[in-house]
Amino acid sequence: MKKLLIVSLIILTSCAAPKKCCGQVDFKKYFKFATFYGAASGGTSISDVETFSVTNGLETATIKTPFDYNVAFGVRKIARFGYENKAQTFYDGTETSWSDGANVGKVRGLEFLFEVDYARQQGNEYLDQHHFIRYVGDDGCGKRFCMNHFILKGEYLEDGFADIKYFETSERYRYKVNNKLSFNVGAAQRLAEPYGYDPLEEWRLGNGDIHYTYLALQEGYNVNVQESEYMDPDGDIVATSVEVWEEVVIPDVLADYTTRKRNELDLMIQHSIVMGFDYYHYTKSFWVHAWGNIMPYHLDEGKDYSYHEYEGKQWLDYSGGMIFGTKLTKRIGVFTEGKYNKYWNREWYDFKLGINYIIR
């Protein structure tokens, strides 16, 4: 994965300077106005919870959830659109700009973002990453077809909450209808785990429709029926009743099994046709920024764990976003912002809307 990111960086940087050889590339130019940042934040998580048990008389226990935290490291060089507020004095890693998902930035040339977040929320620890490099050709070419009409982008996304992780590159030809609207078409390549693969279904088909206790035994668990004791692979007792075994232990066994089986498979590359559009209109009292992408066709290479094997046909992957705002009067303004993604039948999205009233 890291190698692919490095290769993409080299390719996109080279495209941004087609008239220079590698030894003449001015990296200072490309990092001008870029910001490197590192920050840590934290806060109280959910309050302590008291639990009660009457198995051996009344017993109480307190479940404590450790404090939340977020540690971020990154570098970014992305021009702000007209509707975006000026950044804070310092970047703290909590900044979010939904316009980062657009195909075309505010300026032509090279833009990039590399950010890693280590976080804990309500006791759950996770790693989030978002890296992308975007190159949009400038308008210096007078011909209808030239490199200045192309969009090149490489992106890596890992979202712990959405349970999605993939690396994507795309090469597109861009046609400008006018200064506000443009369309693009090209090819996209995505590298990801074989989404759609169901280890439990594969196990069930291979063993017949039998109780999942057999899977636990296969994974090293043991059951002493006479003593009603259920032990994990280390020999520790994890349940003393069928109810606890089936409702608590078995779900953990299934989760561990599916995670391990998915991790055993190699990543797969998916080649797709991609089409998209970008629209941007801005005045101080009214603005609309919208973009969208659709992948209607995916190359079927006949691999065992290809998503075609689970879908059985072609499918639609798509993403898009819109940012809208208007000042109805000098005192009243409304806004709505949102983005939506659906890849391999996995969805992740954000949105917000509201109204502002200024008292004068």
Side-chain angles (χ1 to χ4, degrees):
M1 193 67 68
K2 292 181 180 179
K3 292 181 179 179
L4 288 172
L5 287 171
I6 294 172
V7 170
S8 298
L9 176 60
I10 294 173
I11 294 174
L12 292 171
T13 303
S14 300
C15 291
K19 297 182 180 180
K20 297 183 180 181
C21 68
C22 296
Q24 295 175 311
V25 174
D26 187 359
F27 286 99
K28 183 177 180 180
K29 171 185 175 182
Y30 301 128
F31 282 93
K32 186 177 182 179
F33 302 121
T35 302
F36 289 83
Y37 56 91
S41 60
T44 304
S45 187
I46 57 177
S47 61
D48 297 344
V49 177
E50 288 190 346
T51 61
F52 303 89
S53 172
V54 293
T55 303
N56 298 312
L58 179 61
E59 298 180 353
T60 61
T62 302
I63 300 176
K64 296 185 177 182
T65 302
F67 67 92
D68 294 344
Y69 69 80
N70 185 85
V71 180
F73 300 95
V75 54
R76 61 185 292 132
K77 179 187 176 182
I78 307 173
R80 295 190 305 273
F81 285 89
Y83 54 79
E84 294 182 299
N85 295 325
K86 185 178 180 180
Q88 305 177 72
T89 304
F90 297 102
Y91 282 109
D92 59 18
T94 63
E95 296 82 7
T96 57
S97 177
W98 292 348
S99 63
D100 293 350
N103 303 310
V104 179
K106 179 66 169 62
V107 298
R108 305 297 178 261
L110 189 69
E111 294 184 299
F112 53 82
L113 166 69
F114 294 93
E115 181 171 316
V116 178
D117 292 85
Y118 300 91
R120 180 171 66 199
Q121 186 171 352
Q122 297 184 5
N124 297 316
E125 297 182 351
Y126 59 92
L127 170 67
D128 279 352
Q129 299 186 67
H130 189 201
H131 315 301
F132 81 79
I133 312 170
R134 176 176 60 203
Y135 174 76
V136 180
D138 59 36
D139 298 325
C141 180
K143 301 178 181 179
R144 277 292 180 182
F145 187 86
C146 67
M147 278 302 297
N148 291 351
H149 290 157
F150 278 81
I151 303 171
L152 304 176
K153 187 175 182 180
E155 180 177 27
Y156 176 71
L157 176 69
E158 181 176 353
D159 189 323
F161 278 165
D163 190 25
I164 188 75
K165 179 169 62 175
Y166 66 89
F167 174 71
E168 176 182 320
T169 58
S170 63
E171 311 80 29
R172 315 186 194 192
Y173 174 73
R174 180 189 181 210
Y175 177 78
K176 291 183 63 176
V177 178
N178 50 45
N179 290 329
K180 298 179 181 180
L181 177 65
S182 68
F183 294 95
N184 59 78
V185 62
Q189 307 79 37
R190 292 173 293 171
L191 185 67
E193 69 173 80
Y195 289 112
Y197 168 58
D198 186 351
L200 293 179
E201 180 66 13
E202 182 183 59
W203 179 85
R204 189 184 66 82
L205 291 175
N207 294 271
D209 191 9
I210 57 179
H211 196 278
Y212 285 110
T213 292
Y214 287 93
L215 176 59
L217 296 176
Q218 176 184 311
E219 292 297 289
Y221 286 78
N222 287 292
V223 178
N224 187 331
V225 179
Q226 293 181 342
E227 300 294 334
S228 188
E229 293 180 343
Y230 301 83
M231 292 156 284
D232 64 16
D234 295 326
D236 298 325
I237 297 177
V238 292
T240 56
S241 67
V242 174
E243 291 75 18
V244 173
W245 171 252
E246 294 185 347
E247 296 179 14
V248 179
V249 180
I250 287 296
D252 289 339
V253 173
L254 300 183
D256 292 342
Y257 176 77
T258 55
T259 299
R260 179 172 61 81
K261 294 296 288 185
R262 287 195 178 105
N263 290 339
E264 289 176 355
L265 298 181
D266 294 331
L267 299 179
M268 299 189 65
I269 188 168
Q270 180 77 68
H271 299 275
S272 308
I273 298 296
V274 60
M275 298 180 289
F277 79 93
D278 287 82
Y279 179 81
Y280 176 62
H281 170 78
Y282 173 77
T283 67
K284 291 185 178 180
S285 59
F286 177 83
W287 56 88
V288 177
H289 186 194
W291 64 92
N293 299 283
I294 185 171
M295 298 182 187
Y297 178 80
H298 316 274
L299 180 63
D300 185 1
E301 299 184 52
K303 296 181 179 179
D304 292 338
Y305 297 102
S306 168
Y307 195 72
H308 291 85
E309 294 295 318
Y310 311 108
E311 188 66 19
K313 57 183 178 179
Q314 293 293 333
W315 69 95
L316 288 178
D317 286 338
Y318 48 89
S319 63
M322 186 183 73
I323 299 172
F324 166 81
T326 182
K327 296 181 180 179
L328 301 176
T329 68
K330 291 183 178 181
R331 296 187 178 185
I332 301 177
V334 296
F335 68 91
T336 179
E337 303 178 3
K339 62 179 181 179
Y340 179 86
N341 300 268
K342 185 177 182 180
Y343 278 9
W344 302 293
N345 206 33
R346 292 180 178 274
E347 300 175 291
W348 64 103
Y349 51 86
D350 298 284
F351 70 90
K352 61 182 176 181
L353 52 88
I355 182 171
N356 286 183
Y357 178 79
I358 302 174
I359 299 177
R360 296 180 182 273

